[in-house]
């Protein structure tokens, strides 16, 4: 419920779709997807319900069609390997891909979905077919997406997790001229990630230090991993927000007092605001209430109220990273650089409130 409330109240995904479209459209205009004889092979690592990758690929002319391979560790999104699953029990990602193929909202010709973990399993076993693995038909992907999923590698193995995943992406998945695209939130001052990190006890102040950023922020980890692996990394930063209802401040006193939560029973608007607070906290209310006063549930509410007062929303610093391998051709590298410049230029006309 907390994640859904966040997703419904944030424009982060919409903004990411917009920037990704600028990037792919520029590549399209440079004849990047113009081969009628070959499908564009796309990997989605941490696919969720599959709606995000579908939106990323909409309105782009993939002349040879699309083949999407996707996986996620959460069975609520991708289901299990149980072959007895009925049509009514089909997982969300399967439903979304099936609808996309039927409607041709994207030129989808084939898709494969698996349940798996990017750290516990090797990526080829999750994204290639048995036949491809047996025949060692690797390094075929044209695009690999990690949309807000690289955090899980970092949580399990810190910087080594990010390096491990990126190494596999470029050693086993992508073709020489393939492109990896990553989206993630960053640890910066006056952002929801700073609030979350502080209230989880990862950092000692709601204003992160340079040391905090080097230790926890994705926009620091990823360029470092790319440098270690000899990869070319382009950064496209942008902002988005987590929005609360216009009546948010009227509910604050109730949010502070769990004994009054029965007053929220039939108020969907207030409940959505409450779940957004829980998402920012990344803990249960019971856990947050037992923390020291400097970082407890009431302190979180205070900080969110201040942020909404400053901006009208809780700020979110997001980054799109575009990464190329060491064997990329000069021609493709130039096309990608052109697309990155075009996408960055679109940021100058961008309003994070919309």
């Amino acid at each position: 419920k907390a994640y859904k409330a966040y997703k419904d109240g944030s424009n982060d995904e919409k903004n990411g779709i917009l920037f990704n479209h600028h990037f792919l459209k520029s590549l399209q205009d440079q004849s990047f997807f113009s081969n009628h004889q070959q499908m564009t092979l796309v990997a989605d690592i941490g696919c969720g319900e599959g709606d995000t990758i579908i939106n990323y690929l909409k309105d782009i002319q993939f002349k040879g069609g699309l083949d999407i391979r996707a996986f996620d560790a959460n069975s609520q999104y991708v289901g299990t390997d149980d072959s007895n699953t009925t049509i009514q029990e089909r997982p969300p990602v399967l439903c979304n891909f099936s609808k996309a193929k039927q409607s041709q909202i994207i030129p989808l010709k084939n898709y494969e979905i698996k349940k798996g973990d990017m750290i516990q399993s090797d990526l080829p076993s999750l994204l290639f077919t048995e036949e491809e693995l047996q025949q060692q038909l690797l390094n075929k992907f044209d695009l690999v997406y990690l949309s807000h999923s690289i955090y899980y590698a970092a949580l399990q193995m810190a910087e080594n997790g990010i390096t491990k995943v990126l190494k596999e992406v470029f050693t086993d998945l992508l073709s020489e001229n393939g492109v990896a695209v990553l989206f993630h939130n960053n640890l910066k001052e006056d952002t929801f990630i700073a609030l979350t990190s502080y209230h989880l006890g990862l950092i000692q102040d709601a204003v992160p230090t340079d040391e905090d950023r080097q230790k926890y922020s994705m926009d620091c980890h990823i360029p470092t991993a790319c440098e270690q692996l000899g990869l070319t990394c382009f950064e496209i930063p942008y902002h988005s927000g987590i929005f609360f209802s216009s009546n948010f401040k009227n509910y604050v006193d109730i949010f502070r007092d769990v004994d009054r939560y029965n007053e929220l029973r039939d108020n969907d608007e207030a409940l959505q605001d409450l779940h957004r607070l829980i998402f920012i906290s990344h803990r249960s209310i019971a856990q947050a209430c037992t923390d020291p006063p400097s970082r407890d549930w009431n302190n979180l509410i205070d900080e969110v109220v201040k942020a909404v007062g400053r901006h009208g929303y809780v700020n979110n610093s997001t980054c799109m990273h575009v990464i190329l391998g060491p064997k990329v051709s000069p021609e493709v590298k130039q096309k990608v650089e052109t697309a990155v410049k075009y996408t960055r230029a679109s940021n100058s006309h961008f309003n994070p409130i919309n």
Side-chain angles (χ1 to χ4, degrees), residues 5 32 41 63 84 102 112 136 154 176 183 269 315 324:
F32 202 81
L41 186 58
K63 298 293 188 180
N84 295 321
Q102 184 176 10
E112 301 282 343
Q136 288 291 296
E176 290 186 357
F183 290 90
E269 179 184 74
N315 188 34
L324 300 174

Side-chain angles (χ1 to χ4, degrees), residues 177 327-337:
N177 290 320
K327 297 181 180 180
V328 63
S329 71
E331 180 186 4
V332 168
K333 187 174 183 180
Q334 181 59 53
K335 288 182 178 181
V336 171
E337 286 178 346

Side-chain angles (χ1 to χ4, degrees), residues 117-165:
D117 185 287
M118 70 177 80
I119 294 298
Q120 302 302 321
S121 303
D122 63 279
L123 295 182
S125 68
L126 296 172
L127 292 165
F128 288 108
T129 65
E130 289 298 325
E131 181 181 358
E132 289 168 336
L133 290 171
Q134 289 172 4
Q135 298 183 26
Q136 288 291 296
L137 299 175
L138 308 182
N139 300 106
K140 295 172 56 177
F141 283 92
D142 303 291
L143 294 169
V144 171
Y145 278 89
L146 291 100
S147 181
H148 296 282
S149 58
I150 197 70
Y151 316 111
Y152 302 103
L155 283 172
Q156 293 186 56
M157 294 180 61
E159 298 95 328
N160 293 333
I162 295 172
T163 303
K164 182 251 187 204
V165 170

Side-chain angles (χ1 to χ4, degrees), residues 269-296:
E269 179 184 74
L271 288 171
Q272 289 295 298
D273 282 344
L274 179 64
H275 283 120
R276 287 180 192 115
L277 287 171
I278 295 171
F279 178 83
I280 294 174
S281 175
H282 266 55
R283 293 166 300 163
S284 70
I285 297 172
Q287 290 172 319
C289 286
T290 61
D291 284 336
S294 61
R295 64 170 85 229
D296 68 1

Side-chain angles (χ1 to χ4, degrees), residues 55-97:
N55 284 320
Y56 280 165
L57 302 175
K58 279 170 58 176
D59 303 319
I60 301 297
Q61 297 177 21
F62 297 97
K63 298 293 188 180
L66 285 166
D67 182 351
I68 301 177
R69 315 285 179 84
F71 74 84
D72 199 286
N74 192 331
S75 58
Q76 291 185 350
Y77 298 142
V78 298
T80 65
D81 295 328
D82 184 359
S83 60
N84 295 321
T85 299
T86 66
I87 293 177
Q88 289 78 13
E89 296 170 334
R90 293 172 78 189
V93 66
L94 189 59
C95 293
N96 286 329
F97 279 10

Side-chain angles (χ1 to χ4, degrees), residues 6 9-17 19 148 151 183-186 190-193 237-243 311-319 347 350-354:
Y6 155 75
S10 172
N11 60 358
D12 180 55
E13 182 172 317
K14 184 183 81 169
N15 294 346
I17 291 167
F19 279 90
H148 296 282
Y151 316 111
F183 290 90
H184 37 266
N185 300 321
N186 300 316
D190 192 22
T191 63
F192 101 84
I193 291 293
Y238 60 94
H239 286 273
S240 55
I242 303 175
F243 295 82
H311 308 294
Y313 53 90
V314 177
N315 188 34
N316 187 12
S317 172
T318 310
C319 190
N347 198 4
F350 177 68
N351 184 347
I353 297 178
N354 292 333

